[in-house]
Amino acid sequence: MMIYAEMLREECLGDDPRLPDVMELIKAIERGRDLTRQLLAFSRKQPATPTLLDLGATLADLQKMFRRLLPSNIEISIDVEEQSWPVIADRVQVEQLIMNLALNARDAMPSGGQLTIRLANRTIQCGDEGMEPGDYVMMTVSDTGTGIPPDDLDRIFDPFFTTKVRGGGTGLGLATCYGIVKQAGGSIAVRSAIGEGTSFIVLLPRANETIQTEAAPAPPVQQARGGERILLVEDNSLAQRATAAMLTRAGYSVQSTSNGEEALRFLREHADAVDLVLSDVVMPRLSGPELARQLAVSHPDLPVLFMTGYSNDPIIADAGEHRIGGRRTIMKPFKREDLLAFISDAIERKRCAEAS
């Protein structure tokens, strides 16, 4: 879906009436992608991707989703301090943190009430809030719900602990919030009283960097420099056709195979017909990592790149890159410019290695 949507966007000029609809389609795909990655990260402990983050902008992006997920009898108030400091955290995880706290508040107000989210800069002195002295961004998520019994407050972040009726929750929502905040170097606390509502207080360290407010120019469309030859290894026929079409449009010569065994047979018969292998990771017969191990022996100078949405092999975050078995990996679904830049960089590295 992302590949075809990106190709549609490429065809739309600036005044094309279809462009706004195409951009909304891309945003919807990105939201589904981010949610899927978060679910995989929670279940498989995949690495987070910390970025410089404006929490105020994140809350603004989530407002429409709040209105869809919360009933009309809950009033929503968002108060963001001007010039709020940036933080460094995984954007998708922070979105999940906020949504989990909002849904927890919803469940505490079955007859309606007020959900208030406040964002403020906070300087912590020695010993305050159990945190190291320094600058923090404080997010407070408050509801006017039923409140939490005092005996339960010490266990509220324990995995599988829930105050809801059987079948009303898994007990993982607040445990996930705790893990996200701790991974970002912050803290989360709760204050509650029966009949008076609940407040969750999140502190995240201030980032030393500054977010650029000017819109970044659109990245240039990457094009193949010399019609390089790519062996595409992908068992999903729809994804294979879409990826091959994208690469062909960019000027590459593409040969497609459906699994690692087919790729090996092709390379045995056409040993010098490929400049780079782009392979899925999870495939029948012969996986991407096993294909790469065999090619390291038979074709040691042939670059092998991976693409995947999930993997049984550990996905390692290394210097801003994802790697599986030491091979550079791009996560599905990817944007057109990201894939082309990913491939272009690998080909350039190969040229530099050959020149040296």
Side-chain angles (χ1 to χ4, degrees):
M1 289 171 62
M2 178 66 82
I3 290 170
Y4 284 120
E6 290 283 348
M7 289 194 289
L8 280 174
R9 182 173 67 173
E10 182 187 350
E11 293 177 356
C12 294
L13 300 177
D15 58 351
D16 194 315
R18 299 174 300 170
L19 185 57
D21 292 337
V22 172
M23 296 306 297
E24 286 300 318
L25 173 62
I26 290 174
K27 288 180 183 178
I29 296 169
E30 288 175 339
R31 178 69 64 182
R33 172 199 63 191
D34 291 343
L35 176 60
T36 301
R37 285 182 180 174
Q38 186 55 52
L39 291 171
L40 288 169
F42 177 73
S43 62
R44 297 173 179 270
K45 297 184 174 63
Q46 291 184 356
T49 306
T51 58
L52 194 63
L53 199 61
D54 180 347
L55 290 181
T58 302
L59 282 170
D61 289 341
L62 290 175
Q63 274 190 292
K64 289 183 180 179
M65 187 173 292
F66 287 149
R67 197 65 280 164
R68 289 196 298 269
L69 292 178
L70 303 180
S72 58
N73 62 356
I74 293 180
E75 184 179 349
I76 304 169
S77 174
I78 297 179
D79 181 15
V80 177
E81 180 175 329
E82 290 187 13
Q83 305 298 320
S84 62
W85 295 326
V87 300
I88 294 179
D90 184 298
R91 180 180 64 85
V92 179
Q93 289 190 352
V94 168
E95 288 183 351
Q96 185 185 23
L97 162 71
I98 296 169
M99 293 308 302
N100 280 3
L101 293 177
L103 293 176
N104 193 74
R106 177 200 65 185
D107 294 341
M109 299 183 288
S111 301
Q114 173 89 29
L115 169 66
T116 304
I117 303 178
R118 292 190 174 91
L119 201 64
N121 299 330
R122 174 79 184 274
T123 297
I124 300 294
Q125 304 298 330
C126 183
D128 289 353
E129 308 291 344
M131 298 292 290
E132 292 292 326
D135 291 336
Y136 294 83
V137 178
M138 182 172 68
M139 180 174 66
T140 306
V141 181
S142 302
D143 65 64
T144 57
T146 55
I148 302 171
D151 292 344
D152 293 337
L153 286 176
D154 290 339
R155 305 174 57 198
I156 202 68
F157 298 113
D158 291 353
F160 305 110
F161 175 76
T162 179
T163 59
K164 300 173 185 176
V165 297
R166 182 179 297 274
T170 63
L172 289 174
L174 292 178
T176 299
C177 291
Y178 182 87
I180 290 171
V181 172
K182 288 298 182 181
Q183 191 172 20
S187 71
I188 182 170
V190 58
R191 297 169 186 165
S192 185
I194 295 296
E196 297 180 10
T198 300
S199 293
F200 287 91
I201 302 96
V202 175
L203 288 169
L204 294 176
R206 175 186 182 179
N208 294 323
E209 305 168 62
T210 301
I211 294 177
Q212 300 298 322
T213 56
E214 295 183 4
V221 175
Q222 298 282 342
Q223 298 293 338
R225 290 176 50 180
E228 292 88 355
R229 303 160 299 177
I230 296 177
L231 178 61
L232 175 63
V233 191
E234 169 64 75
D235 64 305
N236 184 300
S237 59
L238 294 176
Q240 183 192 103
R241 287 197 299 270
T243 306
M246 176 193 292
L247 295 174
T248 301
R249 282 193 181 195
Y252 291 105
S253 173
V254 181
Q255 173 68 41
S256 299
T257 59
S258 298
N259 56 63
E261 287 184 356
E262 287 185 15
L264 285 177
R265 284 197 298 270
F266 177 84
L267 287 170
R268 290 191 192 106
E269 297 171 6
H270 308 87
D272 299 320
V274 174
D275 297 305
L276 178 142
V277 175
L278 176 63
S279 176
D280 192 17
V281 171
V282 180
M283 296 182 293
R285 299 186 185 178
L286 193 69
S287 69
E290 181 56 35
L291 170 64
R293 282 190 284 270
Q294 295 196 33
L295 290 180
V297 176
S298 61
H299 297 74
D301 298 324
L302 182 61
V304 178
L305 303 178
F306 289 146
M307 53 183 179
T308 190
Y310 68 96
S311 171
N312 292 324
D313 298 85
I315 302 175
I316 306 300
D318 178 23
E321 296 180 344
H322 290 102
R323 293 180 181 270
I324 294 177
R327 304 280 180 171
R328 296 175 67 214
T329 304
I330 187 169
M331 304 303 294
K332 297 178 181 177
F334 37 71
K335 289 188 174 182
R336 177 179 186 272
E337 61 263 25
D338 293 337
L339 177 63
L340 298 183
F342 182 63
I343 290 174
S344 177
D345 181 63
I347 290 174
E348 189 61 30
R349 292 187 189 195
K350 179 184 177 184
R351 286 199 184 99
C352 292
E354 291 173 345
S356 62

